[in-house]
Amino acid sequence: MKFFKRQPSTPVGRLMAAARLPTAGGDIAVQDVVMDVLRRGSGRMAPTLAVVEELLGEGGEASRVAVDFVEFVQNAASHGTDGLLTTEELLPLRGVRTVECWETVDRFWTAVVAWCDEQGVALESGASLRAVEHPRLRSIMWPSCRSLADGRWVSVADVLAYELAVGVPMAGFGHRPTA
């Protein structure tokens, strides 16, 4: 007698399965999946990004989860922390849809930084962010903010201020509900 393995039905469950994370307990936070597969040497980013590519083609909730995944990957990788894949290592792993999503997310965060600079919003030094050692705290903080090449970092609070000021959420998936 053969037993069939049940495939996860939710977008997050599919990401978890691709990441070889246990799915029996239900979905976990997308940023937790990101922090697990982003570890250098895990070998799980490529298959997980392949699922992201599929999810982006499905639209709806699946696409939203995929955009969240890409945003969290970009943010966590931006911190340049030992033990995590770099942006340069991630770029060749992306599919066609993922490249488009990647660029959309990147343009959004670039617009947030430009707005902060224009408005005189002081962005803090990224040193304090990279100094976070507790793994659970890292999995909350690192995917939700982005380190910049000049040593500053932009937080989700800055993103919220930007979205409220200009009324433009990221590609329809912003950090605030649209009316």
Side-chain angles (χ1 to χ4, degrees):
M1 178 187 311
K2 281 190 170 183
F3 291 95
F4 294 97
K5 189 173 185 179
R6 186 169 175 227
Q7 293 294 340
S9 59
T10 68
V12 175
R14 290 167 56 194
L15 288 173
M16 291 170 61
R20 297 190 310 266
L21 294 170
T23 58
D27 291 351
I28 63 174
V30 174
Q31 63 263 31
D32 291 337
V33 177
V34 166
M35 292 304 290
D36 199 68
V37 300
L38 197 56
R39 286 193 325 250
R40 179 167 279 119
S42 78
R44 294 180 285 157
M45 183 56 79
T48 308
L49 282 174
V51 170
V52 166
E53 186 77 8
E54 293 170 9
L55 295 173
L56 286 167
E58 294 175 18
E61 176 68 9
S63 197
R64 188 194 62 76
V65 168
V67 171
D68 286 349
F69 184 89
V70 168
E71 181 176 29
F72 293 147
V73 164
Q74 283 185 354
N75 290 349
S78 76
H79 306 307
T81 307
D82 289 340
L84 297 182
L85 294 171
T86 65
T87 300
E88 292 73 27
E89 292 169 310
L90 294 165
L91 296 178
L93 304 176
R94 304 168 303 159
V96 175
R97 288 184 198 106
T98 309
V99 167
E100 183 179 337
C101 176
W102 188 281
E103 292 171 355
T104 299
V105 169
D106 200 43
R107 280 191 302 273
F108 175 80
W109 280 81
T110 298
V112 171
V113 172
W115 178 84
C116 287
D117 289 344
E118 290 165 6
Q119 299 303 313
V121 175
L123 300 177
E124 299 200 29
S125 166
S128 62
L129 187 62
R130 286 186 295 280
V132 174
E133 293 184 16
H134 190 276
R136 183 68 189 132
L137 191 53
R138 280 182 184 171
S139 73
I140 294 168
M141 292 184 67
W142 288 359
S144 65
C145 48
R146 184 172 292 214
S147 288
L148 306 173
D150 64 8
R152 300 177 302 159
W153 65 282
V154 60
S155 73
V156 72
D158 300 315
V159 170
L160 288 168
Y162 168 81
E163 288 181 347
L164 289 170
V166 301
V168 179
M170 180 179 60
F173 300 106
H175 294 89
R176 66 180 177 87
T178 56

PDB file of all heavy atoms in Angstrom, residues 71-109:
ATOM      1  N   GLU A  71      10.348  40.967  -0.470  1.00  0.00           N
ATOM      2  CA  GLU A  71      10.681  42.150   0.321  1.00  0.00           C
ATOM      3  C   GLU A  71      11.502  41.766   1.553  1.00  0.00           C
ATOM      4  O   GLU A  71      12.525  42.389   1.854  1.00  0.00           O
ATOM      5  CB  GLU A  71       9.403  42.874   0.739  1.00  0.00           C
ATOM      6  CG  GLU A  71       9.661  44.134   1.535  1.00  0.00           C
ATOM      7  CD  GLU A  71       8.390  44.888   1.871  1.00  0.00           C
ATOM      8  OE1 GLU A  71       7.312  44.261   1.998  1.00  0.00           O
ATOM      9  OE2 GLU A  71       8.492  46.116   2.020  1.00  0.00           O
ATOM     10  N   PHE A  72      11.079  40.724   2.251  1.00  0.00           N
ATOM     11  CA  PHE A  72      11.803  40.285   3.445  1.00  0.00           C
ATOM     12  C   PHE A  72      13.206  39.781   3.090  1.00  0.00           C
ATOM     13  O   PHE A  72      14.160  40.019   3.838  1.00  0.00           O
ATOM     14  CB  PHE A  72      11.025  39.201   4.185  1.00  0.00           C
ATOM     15  CG  PHE A  72       9.734  39.663   4.803  1.00  0.00           C
ATOM     16  CD1 PHE A  72       8.652  38.803   4.892  1.00  0.00           C
ATOM     17  CD2 PHE A  72       9.579  40.952   5.304  1.00  0.00           C
ATOM     18  CE1 PHE A  72       7.456  39.207   5.466  1.00  0.00           C
ATOM     19  CE2 PHE A  72       8.385  41.373   5.887  1.00  0.00           C
ATOM     20  CZ  PHE A  72       7.321  40.491   5.970  1.00  0.00           C
ATOM     21  N   VAL A  73      13.343  39.089   1.964  1.00  0.00           N
ATOM     22  CA  VAL A  73      14.667  38.615   1.527  1.00  0.00           C
ATOM     23  C   VAL A  73      15.577  39.804   1.255  1.00  0.00           C
ATOM     24  O   VAL A  73      16.724  39.848   1.711  1.00  0.00           O
ATOM     25  CB  VAL A  73      14.556  37.703   0.285  1.00  0.00           C
ATOM     26  CG1 VAL A  73      15.903  37.536  -0.401  1.00  0.00           C
ATOM     27  CG2 VAL A  73      13.985  36.344   0.662  1.00  0.00           C
ATOM     28  N   GLN A  74      15.078  40.761   0.483  1.00  0.00           N
ATOM     29  CA  GLN A  74      15.897  41.935   0.163  1.00  0.00           C
ATOM     30  C   GLN A  74      16.329  42.658   1.434  1.00  0.00           C
ATOM     31  O   GLN A  74      17.492  43.038   1.562  1.00  0.00           O
ATOM     32  CB  GLN A  74      15.116  42.909  -0.712  1.00  0.00           C
ATOM     33  CG  GLN A  74      14.995  42.510  -2.144  1.00  0.00           C
ATOM     34  CD  GLN A  74      14.298  43.591  -2.956  1.00  0.00           C
ATOM     35  OE1 GLN A  74      13.806  44.592  -2.435  1.00  0.00           O
ATOM     36  NE2 GLN A  74      14.264  43.383  -4.258  1.00  0.00           N
ATOM     37  N   ASN A  75      15.382  42.865   2.331  1.00  0.00           N
ATOM     38  CA  ASN A  75      15.695  43.598   3.552  1.00  0.00           C
ATOM     39  C   ASN A  75      16.729  42.861   4.399  1.00  0.00           C
ATOM     40  O   ASN A  75      17.719  43.453   4.826  1.00  0.00           O
ATOM     41  CB  ASN A  75      14.426  43.859   4.362  1.00  0.00           C
ATOM     42  CG  ASN A  75      13.516  44.864   3.686  1.00  0.00           C
ATOM     43  OD1 ASN A  75      13.894  45.522   2.719  1.00  0.00           O
ATOM     44  ND2 ASN A  75      12.306  44.977   4.186  1.00  0.00           N
ATOM     45  N   ALA A  76      16.498  41.584   4.652  1.00  0.00           N
ATOM     46  CA  ALA A  76      17.427  40.819   5.493  1.00  0.00           C
ATOM     47  C   ALA A  76      18.811  40.742   4.851  1.00  0.00           C
ATOM     48  O   ALA A  76      19.828  40.874   5.536  1.00  0.00           O
ATOM     49  CB  ALA A  76      16.869  39.426   5.769  1.00  0.00           C
ATOM     50  N   ALA A  77      18.864  40.544   3.544  1.00  0.00           N
ATOM     51  CA  ALA A  77      20.157  40.456   2.854  1.00  0.00           C
ATOM     52  C   ALA A  77      20.875  41.801   2.846  1.00  0.00           C
ATOM     53  O   ALA A  77      22.111  41.836   2.798  1.00  0.00           O
ATOM     54  CB  ALA A  77      19.961  39.950   1.427  1.00  0.00           C
ATOM     55  N   SER A  78      20.134  42.896   2.911  1.00  0.00           N
ATOM     56  CA  SER A  78      20.752  44.229   2.840  1.00  0.00           C
ATOM     57  C   SER A  78      21.674  44.518   4.025  1.00  0.00           C
ATOM     58  O   SER A  78      22.534  45.387   3.932  1.00  0.00           O
ATOM     59  CB  SER A  78      19.665  45.314   2.777  1.00  0.00           C
ATOM     60  OG  SER A  78      19.064  45.524   4.046  1.00  0.00           O
ATOM     61  N   HIS A  79      21.523  43.792   5.103  1.00  0.00           N
ATOM     62  CA  HIS A  79      22.299  44.083   6.306  1.00  0.00           C
ATOM     63  C   HIS A  79      23.739  43.575   6.220  1.00  0.00           C
ATOM     64  O   HIS A  79      24.564  43.905   7.072  1.00  0.00           O
ATOM     65  CB  HIS A  79      21.593  43.529   7.542  1.00  0.00           C
ATOM     66  CG  HIS A  79      20.178  44.007   7.655  1.00  0.00           C
ATOM     67  ND1 HIS A  79      19.824  45.345   7.609  1.00  0.00           N
ATOM     68  CD2 HIS A  79      19.016  43.328   7.781  1.00  0.00           C
ATOM     69  CE1 HIS A  79      18.512  45.461   7.698  1.00  0.00           C
ATOM     70  NE2 HIS A  79      18.003  44.254   7.807  1.00  0.00           N
ATOM     71  N   GLY A  80      24.031  42.769   5.196  1.00  0.00           N
ATOM     72  CA  GLY A  80      25.403  42.317   4.988  1.00  0.00           C
ATOM     73  C   GLY A  80      25.976  41.562   6.167  1.00  0.00           C
ATOM     74  O   GLY A  80      27.132  41.743   6.527  1.00  0.00           O
ATOM     75  N   THR A  81      25.170  40.718   6.739  1.00  0.00           N
ATOM     76  CA  THR A  81      25.564  39.996   7.941  1.00  0.00           C
ATOM     77  C   THR A  81      26.226  38.670   7.585  1.00  0.00           C
ATOM     78  O   THR A  81      25.746  37.944   6.721  1.00  0.00           O
ATOM     79  CB  THR A  81      24.314  39.736   8.811  1.00  0.00           C
ATOM     80  OG1 THR A  81      23.663  40.983   9.022  1.00  0.00           O
ATOM     81  CG2 THR A  81      24.678  39.125  10.135  1.00  0.00           C
ATOM     82  N   ASP A  82      27.323  38.369   8.274  1.00  0.00           N
ATOM     83  CA  ASP A  82      27.978  37.073   8.081  1.00  0.00           C
ATOM     84  C   ASP A  82      26.970  35.952   8.311  1.00  0.00           C
ATOM     85  O   ASP A  82      26.140  36.037   9.214  1.00  0.00           O
ATOM     86  CB  ASP A  82      29.145  36.896   9.054  1.00  0.00           C
ATOM     87  CG  ASP A  82      30.322  37.782   8.701  1.00  0.00           C
ATOM     88  OD1 ASP A  82      30.407  38.234   7.543  1.00  0.00           O
ATOM     89  OD2 ASP A  82      31.146  38.044   9.596  1.00  0.00           O
ATOM     90  N   GLY A  83      27.042  34.943   7.491  1.00  0.00           N
ATOM     91  CA  GLY A  83      26.166  33.795   7.659  1.00  0.00           C
ATOM     92  C   GLY A  83      24.908  33.856   6.819  1.00  0.00           C
ATOM     93  O   GLY A  83      24.205  32.857   6.687  1.00  0.00           O
ATOM     94  N   LEU A  84      24.601  35.032   6.241  1.00  0.00           N
ATOM     95  CA  LEU A  84      23.436  35.146   5.366  1.00  0.00           C
ATOM     96  C   LEU A  84      23.892  35.391   3.934  1.00  0.00           C
ATOM     97  O   LEU A  84      24.928  36.014   3.701  1.00  0.00           O
ATOM     98  CB  LEU A  84      22.527  36.297   5.802  1.00  0.00           C
ATOM     99  CG  LEU A  84      21.878  36.198   7.174  1.00  0.00           C
ATOM    100  CD1 LEU A  84      20.975  37.408   7.412  1.00  0.00           C
ATOM    101  CD2 LEU A  84      21.088  34.910   7.327  1.00  0.00           C
ATOM    102  N   LEU A  85      23.093  34.917   2.995  1.00  0.00           N
ATOM    103  CA  LEU A  85      23.394  35.168   1.585  1.00  0.00           C
ATOM    104  C   LEU A  85      23.369  36.669   1.313  1.00  0.00           C
ATOM    105  O   LEU A  85      22.610  37.413   1.929  1.00  0.00           O
ATOM    106  CB  LEU A  85      22.358  34.480   0.694  1.00  0.00           C
ATOM    107  CG  LEU A  85      22.347  32.951   0.725  1.00  0.00           C
ATOM    108  CD1 LEU A  85      21.131  32.413  -0.023  1.00  0.00           C
ATOM    109  CD2 LEU A  85      23.629  32.398   0.124  1.00  0.00           C
ATOM    110  N   THR A  86      24.198  37.089   0.382  1.00  0.00           N
ATOM    111  CA  THR A  86      24.227  38.492  -0.014  1.00  0.00           C
ATOM    112  C   THR A  86      23.276  38.710  -1.193  1.00  0.00           C
ATOM    113  O   THR A  86      22.868  37.748  -1.865  1.00  0.00           O
ATOM    114  CB  THR A  86      25.644  38.905  -0.456  1.00  0.00           C
ATOM    115  OG1 THR A  86      25.986  38.166  -1.640  1.00  0.00           O
ATOM    116  CG2 THR A  86      26.664  38.649   0.647  1.00  0.00           C
ATOM    117  N   THR A  87      22.980  39.957  -1.444  1.00  0.00           N
ATOM    118  CA  THR A  87      22.146  40.295  -2.600  1.00  0.00           C
ATOM    119  C   THR A  87      22.791  39.772  -3.877  1.00  0.00           C
ATOM    120  O   THR A  87      22.098  39.222  -4.746  1.00  0.00           O
ATOM    121  CB  THR A  87      21.931  41.820  -2.670  1.00  0.00           C
ATOM    122  OG1 THR A  87      21.277  42.243  -1.473  1.00  0.00           O
ATOM    123  CG2 THR A  87      21.102  42.210  -3.873  1.00  0.00           C
ATOM    124  N   GLU A  88      24.088  39.900  -3.998  1.00  0.00           N
ATOM    125  CA  GLU A  88      24.793  39.434  -5.197  1.00  0.00           C
ATOM    126  C   GLU A  88      24.627  37.922  -5.395  1.00  0.00           C
ATOM    127  O   GLU A  88      24.536  37.440  -6.517  1.00  0.00           O
ATOM    128  CB  GLU A  88      26.278  39.805  -5.140  1.00  0.00           C
ATOM    129  CG  GLU A  88      26.545  41.303  -5.241  1.00  0.00           C
ATOM    130  CD  GLU A  88      26.173  42.072  -3.969  1.00  0.00           C
ATOM    131  OE1 GLU A  88      26.192  41.485  -2.859  1.00  0.00           O
ATOM    132  OE2 GLU A  88      25.838  43.263  -4.092  1.00  0.00           O
ATOM    133  N   GLU A  89      24.599  37.175  -4.314  1.00  0.00           N
ATOM    134  CA  GLU A  89      24.403  35.727  -4.412  1.00  0.00           C
ATOM    135  C   GLU A  89      22.965  35.373  -4.771  1.00  0.00           C
ATOM    136  O   GLU A  89      22.705  34.328  -5.358  1.00  0.00           O
ATOM    137  CB  GLU A  89      24.784  35.049  -3.086  1.00  0.00           C
ATOM    138  CG  GLU A  89      26.276  35.123  -2.787  1.00  0.00           C
ATOM    139  CD  GLU A  89      26.605  34.706  -1.365  1.00  0.00           C
ATOM    140  OE1 GLU A  89      25.965  35.201  -0.413  1.00  0.00           O
ATOM    141  OE2 GLU A  89      27.529  33.865  -1.216  1.00  0.00           O
ATOM    142  N   LEU A  90      22.032  36.239  -4.418  1.00  0.00           N
ATOM    143  CA  LEU A  90      20.617  35.973  -4.677  1.00  0.00           C
ATOM    144  C   LEU A  90      20.195  36.298  -6.103  1.00  0.00           C
ATOM    145  O   LEU A  90      19.310  35.634  -6.653  1.00  0.00           O
ATOM    146  CB  LEU A  90      19.758  36.787  -3.699  1.00  0.00           C
ATOM    147  CG  LEU A  90      19.881  36.396  -2.240  1.00  0.00           C
ATOM    148  CD1 LEU A  90      19.288  37.481  -1.352  1.00  0.00           C
ATOM    149  CD2 LEU A  90      19.197  35.063  -1.996  1.00  0.00           C
ATOM    150  N   LEU A  91      20.799  37.307  -6.701  1.00  0.00           N
ATOM    151  CA  LEU A  91      20.362  37.775  -8.017  1.00  0.00           C
ATOM    152  C   LEU A  91      20.261  36.674  -9.074  1.00  0.00           C
ATOM    153  O   LEU A  91      19.263  36.608  -9.790  1.00  0.00           O
ATOM    154  CB  LEU A  91      21.255  38.920  -8.503  1.00  0.00           C
ATOM    155  CG  LEU A  91      21.199  40.196  -7.659  1.00  0.00           C
ATOM    156  CD1 LEU A  91      22.151  41.252  -8.206  1.00  0.00           C
ATOM    157  CD2 LEU A  91      19.787  40.743  -7.565  1.00  0.00           C
ATOM    158  N   PRO A  92      21.236  35.784  -9.209  1.00  0.00           N
ATOM    159  CA  PRO A  92      21.122  34.762 -10.264  1.00  0.00           C
ATOM    160  C   PRO A  92      20.068  33.678  -9.985  1.00  0.00           C
ATOM    161  O   PRO A  92      19.751  32.892 -10.870  1.00  0.00           O
ATOM    162  CB  PRO A  92      22.520  34.134 -10.333  1.00  0.00           C
ATOM    163  CG  PRO A  92      23.301  34.666  -9.211  1.00  0.00           C
ATOM    164  CD  PRO A  92      22.538  35.761  -8.566  1.00  0.00           C
ATOM    165  N   LEU A  93      19.523  33.640  -8.800  1.00  0.00           N
ATOM    166  CA  LEU A  93      18.554  32.606  -8.432  1.00  0.00           C
ATOM    167  C   LEU A  93      17.121  32.972  -8.807  1.00  0.00           C
ATOM    168  O   LEU A  93      16.213  32.156  -8.677  1.00  0.00           O
ATOM    169  CB  LEU A  93      18.619  32.334  -6.920  1.00  0.00           C
ATOM    170  CG  LEU A  93      19.979  31.933  -6.355  1.00  0.00           C
ATOM    171  CD1 LEU A  93      19.897  31.795  -4.840  1.00  0.00           C
ATOM    172  CD2 LEU A  93      20.468  30.655  -7.003  1.00  0.00           C
ATOM    173  N   ARG A  94      16.911  34.181  -9.295  1.00  0.00           N
ATOM    174  CA  ARG A  94      15.558  34.683  -9.544  1.00  0.00           C
ATOM    175  C   ARG A  94      15.046  34.279 -10.920  1.00  0.00           C
ATOM    176  O   ARG A  94      15.793  34.256 -11.883  1.00  0.00           O
ATOM    177  CB  ARG A  94      15.534  36.215  -9.447  1.00  0.00           C
ATOM    178  CG  ARG A  94      16.046  36.738  -8.127  1.00  0.00           C
ATOM    179  CD  ARG A  94      16.275  38.229  -8.160  1.00  0.00           C
ATOM    180  NE  ARG A  94      17.194  38.573  -9.238  1.00  0.00           N
ATOM    181  CZ  ARG A  94      17.300  39.769  -9.787  1.00  0.00           C
ATOM    182  NH1 ARG A  94      16.570  40.766  -9.354  1.00  0.00           N
ATOM    183  NH2 ARG A  94      18.166  39.987 -10.762  1.00  0.00           N
ATOM    184  N   GLY A  95      13.746  34.016 -10.980  1.00  0.00           N
ATOM    185  CA  GLY A  95      13.074  33.783 -12.252  1.00  0.00           C
ATOM    186  C   GLY A  95      12.575  35.091 -12.832  1.00  0.00           C
ATOM    187  O   GLY A  95      12.729  36.157 -12.226  1.00  0.00           O
ATOM    188  N   VAL A  96      11.937  35.030 -13.986  1.00  0.00           N
ATOM    189  CA  VAL A  96      11.480  36.228 -14.696  1.00  0.00           C
ATOM    190  C   VAL A  96      10.504  37.051 -13.859  1.00  0.00           C
ATOM    191  O   VAL A  96      10.667  38.261 -13.707  1.00  0.00           O
ATOM    192  CB  VAL A  96      10.845  35.837 -16.051  1.00  0.00           C
ATOM    193  CG1 VAL A  96      10.248  37.036 -16.746  1.00  0.00           C
ATOM    194  CG2 VAL A  96      11.873  35.160 -16.937  1.00  0.00           C
ATOM    195  N   ARG A  97       9.485  36.406 -13.307  1.00  0.00           N
ATOM    196  CA  ARG A  97       8.511  37.134 -12.480  1.00  0.00           C
ATOM    197  C   ARG A  97       9.154  37.667 -11.208  1.00  0.00           C
ATOM    198  O   ARG A  97       8.833  38.757 -10.737  1.00  0.00           O
ATOM    199  CB  ARG A  97       7.337  36.231 -12.107  1.00  0.00           C
ATOM    200  CG  ARG A  97       6.413  35.922 -13.234  1.00  0.00           C
ATOM    201  CD  ARG A  97       5.223  35.091 -12.735  1.00  0.00           C
ATOM    202  NE  ARG A  97       4.560  34.444 -13.822  1.00  0.00           N
ATOM    203  CZ  ARG A  97       4.627  33.148 -14.102  1.00  0.00           C
ATOM    204  NH1 ARG A  97       5.317  32.335 -13.342  1.00  0.00           N
ATOM    205  NH2 ARG A  97       3.992  32.654 -15.142  1.00  0.00           N
ATOM    206  N   THR A  98      10.056  36.892 -10.652  1.00  0.00           N
ATOM    207  CA  THR A  98      10.722  37.307  -9.422  1.00  0.00           C
ATOM    208  C   THR A  98      11.615  38.518  -9.664  1.00  0.00           C
ATOM    209  O   THR A  98      11.705  39.399  -8.809  1.00  0.00           O
ATOM    210  CB  THR A  98      11.524  36.134  -8.812  1.00  0.00           C
ATOM    211  OG1 THR A  98      10.657  35.006  -8.714  1.00  0.00           O
ATOM    212  CG2 THR A  98      12.063  36.476  -7.447  1.00  0.00           C
ATOM    213  N   VAL A  99      12.257  38.586 -10.830  1.00  0.00           N
ATOM    214  CA  VAL A  99      13.071  39.761 -11.168  1.00  0.00           C
ATOM    215  C   VAL A  99      12.182  41.003 -11.210  1.00  0.00           C
ATOM    216  O   VAL A  99      12.521  42.042 -10.641  1.00  0.00           O
ATOM    217  CB  VAL A  99      13.811  39.574 -12.518  1.00  0.00           C
ATOM    218  CG1 VAL A  99      14.400  40.881 -13.017  1.00  0.00           C
ATOM    219  CG2 VAL A  99      14.900  38.519 -12.390  1.00  0.00           C
ATOM    220  N   GLU A 100      11.024  40.901 -11.855  1.00  0.00           N
ATOM    221  CA  GLU A 100      10.107  42.032 -11.933  1.00  0.00           C
ATOM    222  C   GLU A 100       9.634  42.454 -10.539  1.00  0.00           C
ATOM    223  O   GLU A 100       9.620  43.631 -10.197  1.00  0.00           O
ATOM    224  CB  GLU A 100       8.903  41.679 -12.802  1.00  0.00           C
ATOM    225  CG  GLU A 100       7.941  42.820 -12.983  1.00  0.00           C
ATOM    226  CD  GLU A 100       6.762  42.444 -13.878  1.00  0.00           C
ATOM    227  OE1 GLU A 100       6.874  41.510 -14.686  1.00  0.00           O
ATOM    228  OE2 GLU A 100       5.723  43.101 -13.733  1.00  0.00           O
ATOM    229  N   CYS A 101       9.286  41.481  -9.716  1.00  0.00           N
ATOM    230  CA  CYS A 101       8.864  41.753  -8.341  1.00  0.00           C
ATOM    231  C   CYS A 101      10.014  42.387  -7.563  1.00  0.00           C
ATOM    232  O   CYS A 101       9.825  43.377  -6.851  1.00  0.00           O
ATOM    233  CB  CYS A 101       8.403  40.458  -7.675  1.00  0.00           C
ATOM    234  SG  CYS A 101       7.958  40.649  -5.946  1.00  0.00           S
ATOM    235  N   TRP A 102      11.199  41.832  -7.696  1.00  0.00           N
ATOM    236  CA  TRP A 102      12.394  42.320  -7.009  1.00  0.00           C
ATOM    237  C   TRP A 102      12.611  43.797  -7.318  1.00  0.00           C
ATOM    238  O   TRP A 102      12.853  44.605  -6.425  1.00  0.00           O
ATOM    239  CB  TRP A 102      13.593  41.490  -7.464  1.00  0.00           C
ATOM    240  CG  TRP A 102      14.870  41.715  -6.730  1.00  0.00           C
ATOM    241  CD1 TRP A 102      15.750  42.743  -6.895  1.00  0.00           C
ATOM    242  CD2 TRP A 102      15.425  40.872  -5.714  1.00  0.00           C
ATOM    243  NE1 TRP A 102      16.825  42.586  -6.049  1.00  0.00           N
ATOM    244  CE2 TRP A 102      16.652  41.442  -5.322  1.00  0.00           C
ATOM    245  CE3 TRP A 102      15.017  39.690  -5.123  1.00  0.00           C
ATOM    246  CZ2 TRP A 102      17.456  40.872  -4.352  1.00  0.00           C
ATOM    247  CZ3 TRP A 102      15.827  39.121  -4.154  1.00  0.00           C
ATOM    248  CH2 TRP A 102      17.034  39.712  -3.777  1.00  0.00           C
ATOM    249  N   GLU A 103      12.523  44.134  -8.607  1.00  0.00           N
ATOM    250  CA  GLU A 103      12.746  45.515  -9.031  1.00  0.00           C
ATOM    251  C   GLU A 103      11.648  46.445  -8.526  1.00  0.00           C
ATOM    252  O   GLU A 103      11.918  47.579  -8.148  1.00  0.00           O
ATOM    253  CB  GLU A 103      12.891  45.578 -10.547  1.00  0.00           C
ATOM    254  CG  GLU A 103      14.170  44.918 -11.022  1.00  0.00           C
ATOM    255  CD  GLU A 103      14.272  44.744 -12.528  1.00  0.00           C
ATOM    256  OE1 GLU A 103      13.286  45.060 -13.259  1.00  0.00           O
ATOM    257  OE2 GLU A 103      15.337  44.286 -12.980  1.00  0.00           O
ATOM    258  N   THR A 104      10.405  45.974  -8.488  1.00  0.00           N
ATOM    259  CA  THR A 104       9.293  46.769  -7.974  1.00  0.00           C
ATOM    260  C   THR A 104       9.499  47.065  -6.496  1.00  0.00           C
ATOM    261  O   THR A 104       9.339  48.209  -6.047  1.00  0.00           O
ATOM    262  CB  THR A 104       7.954  46.031  -8.190  1.00  0.00           C
ATOM    263  OG1 THR A 104       7.757  45.846  -9.591  1.00  0.00           O
ATOM    264  CG2 THR A 104       6.786  46.795  -7.605  1.00  0.00           C
ATOM    265  N   VAL A 105       9.852  46.044  -5.734  1.00  0.00           N
ATOM    266  CA  VAL A 105      10.095  46.221  -4.300  1.00  0.00           C
ATOM    267  C   VAL A 105      11.266  47.175  -4.087  1.00  0.00           C
ATOM    268  O   VAL A 105      11.206  48.079  -3.247  1.00  0.00           O
ATOM    269  CB  VAL A 105      10.349  44.857  -3.614  1.00  0.00           C
ATOM    270  CG1 VAL A 105      10.861  45.030  -2.193  1.00  0.00           C
ATOM    271  CG2 VAL A 105       9.082  44.000  -3.641  1.00  0.00           C
ATOM    272  N   ASP A 106      12.322  46.999  -4.858  1.00  0.00           N
ATOM    273  CA  ASP A 106      13.504  47.848  -4.718  1.00  0.00           C
ATOM    274  C   ASP A 106      13.182  49.303  -5.046  1.00  0.00           C
ATOM    275  O   ASP A 106      13.621  50.212  -4.326  1.00  0.00           O
ATOM    276  CB  ASP A 106      14.630  47.320  -5.605  1.00  0.00           C
ATOM    277  CG  ASP A 106      15.981  47.821  -5.168  1.00  0.00           C
ATOM    278  OD1 ASP A 106      16.257  47.837  -3.952  1.00  0.00           O
ATOM    279  OD2 ASP A 106      16.775  48.221  -6.052  1.00  0.00           O
ATOM    280  N   ARG A 107      12.406  49.536  -6.111  1.00  0.00           N
ATOM    281  CA  ARG A 107      12.019  50.915  -6.460  1.00  0.00           C
ATOM    282  C   ARG A 107      11.202  51.551  -5.335  1.00  0.00           C
ATOM    283  O   ARG A 107      11.374  52.735  -5.029  1.00  0.00           O
ATOM    284  CB  ARG A 107      11.219  50.944  -7.765  1.00  0.00           C
ATOM    285  CG  ARG A 107      12.066  50.869  -9.019  1.00  0.00           C
ATOM    286  CD  ARG A 107      11.256  51.168 -10.268  1.00  0.00           C
ATOM    287  NE  ARG A 107      10.130  50.271 -10.454  1.00  0.00           N
ATOM    288  CZ  ARG A 107      10.181  49.090 -11.080  1.00  0.00           C
ATOM    289  NH1 ARG A 107      11.326  48.672 -11.590  1.00  0.00           N
ATOM    290  NH2 ARG A 107       9.103  48.342 -11.212  1.00  0.00           N
ATOM    291  N   PHE A 108      10.321  50.765  -4.730  1.00  0.00           N
ATOM    292  CA  PHE A 108       9.508  51.286  -3.641  1.00  0.00           C
ATOM    293  C   PHE A 108      10.384  51.742  -2.475  1.00  0.00           C
ATOM    294  O   PHE A 108      10.247  52.868  -1.981  1.00  0.00           O
ATOM    295  CB  PHE A 108       8.498  50.232  -3.166  1.00  0.00           C
ATOM    296  CG  PHE A 108       7.712  50.679  -1.973  1.00  0.00           C
ATOM    297  CD1 PHE A 108       6.626  51.526  -2.122  1.00  0.00           C
ATOM    298  CD2 PHE A 108       8.067  50.270  -0.694  1.00  0.00           C
ATOM    299  CE1 PHE A 108       5.903  51.956  -1.014  1.00  0.00           C
ATOM    300  CE2 PHE A 108       7.353  50.697   0.420  1.00  0.00           C
ATOM    301  CZ  PHE A 108       6.267  51.540   0.252  1.00  0.00           C
ATOM    302  N   TRP A 109      11.292  50.868  -2.032  1.00  0.00           N
ATOM    303  CA  TRP A 109      12.153  51.233  -0.898  1.00  0.00           C
ATOM    304  C   TRP A 109      13.077  52.402  -1.253  1.00  0.00           C
ATOM    305  O   TRP A 109      13.377  53.240  -0.406  1.00  0.00           O
ATOM    306  CB  TRP A 109      12.941  50.019  -0.408  1.00  0.00           C
ATOM    307  CG  TRP A 109      12.102  49.130   0.463  1.00  0.00           C
ATOM    308  CD1 TRP A 109      11.193  48.193   0.048  1.00  0.00           C
ATOM    309  CD2 TRP A 109      12.052  49.125   1.887  1.00  0.00           C
ATOM    310  NE1 TRP A 109      10.605  47.596   1.141  1.00  0.00           N
ATOM    311  CE2 TRP A 109      11.112  48.145   2.279  1.00  0.00           C
ATOM    312  CE3 TRP A 109      12.722  49.827   2.881  1.00  0.00           C
ATOM    313  CZ2 TRP A 109      10.824  47.864   3.607  1.00  0.00           C
ATOM    314  CZ3 TRP A 109      12.438  49.548   4.215  1.00  0.00           C
ATOM    315  CH2 TRP A 109      11.491  48.571   4.566  1.00  0.00           C
TER     316      TRP A 109
END
